[in-house]
């Protein structure tokens, strides 16, 4: 009887031991990699050439109002984060190509910026632009200022137009006409840099 009693206790204990829940776990690492996308592309107008042929152009300049598409630069930005775009000239003056002693003040070149007609974003929501026609300078000037939480996006949203002028005296450009400045005939050049700056 005693053996039977011990056997029943052993069977009960073994059942109790096997009936306990077994805890186990597995580790699953999860990671997220965000690659930076910052791309500025000049779509058209990558070379602006003003040719002054008439006394009228010497007097009133070229592209007053900025509507002539020959003097417009279209560029787009694809960015994974909010951004600004700055613009500056490489030199402090436009230098003559025929003579090393001739130069033209940069502020004879002016520009303004707007969203391109093909942009899918609303300019008043996504970006701030300079308000008036500004003169070209060798100092980097913010020309597209992204508004927080709105400017990041694809090239279809961030599509911009620079409208260039020469000698029109608009905004804060040089107030003297090209004729009044009596500039030496030459081909004057400089490079202009557009820089995409993440916020």
């Amino acid at each position: 009887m005693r053996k039977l009693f011990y056997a029943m206790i052993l069977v009960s204990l073994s059942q109790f031991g096997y009936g306990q829940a077994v805890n186990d776990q597995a580790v699953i690492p999860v990671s997220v990699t965000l690659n930076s996308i910052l791309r500025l592309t000049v779509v058209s107008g990558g070379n602006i050439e003003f040719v002054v042929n008439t006394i009228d152009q010497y007097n009133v300049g070229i592209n007053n109002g900025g509507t002539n598409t020959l003097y417009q630069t279209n560029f787009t930005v694809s960015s994974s984060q909010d951004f600004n775009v700055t613009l500056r000239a490489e030199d402090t003056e436009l230098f003559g190509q025929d003579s090393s002693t001739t130069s033209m003040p940069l502020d004879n070149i002016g520009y303004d910026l707007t969203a391109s007609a093909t942009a899918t974003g609303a300019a008043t929501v996504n970006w701030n632009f300079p308000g008036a026609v500004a003169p070209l300078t060798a100092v980097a000037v913010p020309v597209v200022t992204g508004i927080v939480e709105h400017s990041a996006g694809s090239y279809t949203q961030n599509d911009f137009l620079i409208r260039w002028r020469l000698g029109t005296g608009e905004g804060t450009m040089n107030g003297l006409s090209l004729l009044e400045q009596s500039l030496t005939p030459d081909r004057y050049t400089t490079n202009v840099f557009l820089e995409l700056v993440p916020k």
Side-chain angles (χ1 to χ4, degrees), residues 58-60 105 107-109 135 167-181:
Y58 269 99
N59 269 321
V60 299
D107 61 1
N108 283 298
I109 303 285
T168 61
E170 295 172 81
T172 54
M173 291 173 64
N174 194 323
L176 296 175
S177 71
L178 297 175
L179 194 64
E180 289 171 318
Q181 294 175 60

Side-chain angles (χ1 to χ4, degrees), residues 27-121:
V27 177
I28 302 173
V30 175
S31 66
V32 177
T33 301
L34 297 177
N35 290 315
S36 177
I37 299 170
L38 288 170
R39 187 172 299 117
L40 187 149
T41 305
V42 174
V43 178
S44 63
N47 183 31
I48 301 298
E49 182 84 25
F50 290 102
V51 179
V52 180
N53 287 321
T54 68
I55 293 296
D56 187 54
Q57 290 173 331
Y58 269 99
N59 269 321
V60 299
I62 296 175
N63 202 28
N64 195 328
T67 57
N68 190 329
T69 57
L70 288 175
Y71 309 107
Q72 295 180 351
T73 298
N74 177 218
F75 72 96
T76 61
V77 172
S78 295
S79 179
S80 57
Q81 60 192 110
D82 294 325
F83 64 87
N84 294 334
V85 177
T86 62
L87 182 147
R88 70 175 177 88
E90 181 177 22
D91 306 302
T92 56
E93 298 177 288
L94 292 121
F95 291 106
Q97 299 300 295
D98 296 336
S99 169
S100 60
T101 61
T102 59
S103 65
M104 174 190 288
L106 279 178
D107 61 1
N108 283 298
I109 303 285
Y111 63 89
D112 70 352
L113 251 92
T114 183
S116 171
T118 59
T120 58

Side-chain angles (χ1 to χ4, degrees), residues 172-193:
T172 54
M173 291 173 64
N174 194 323
L176 296 175
S177 71
L178 297 175
L179 194 64
E180 289 171 318
Q181 294 175 60
S182 189
L183 298 164
T184 303
D186 204 336
R187 184 171 187 269
Y188 297 92
T189 63
T190 190
N191 293 315
V192 174
F193 297 110

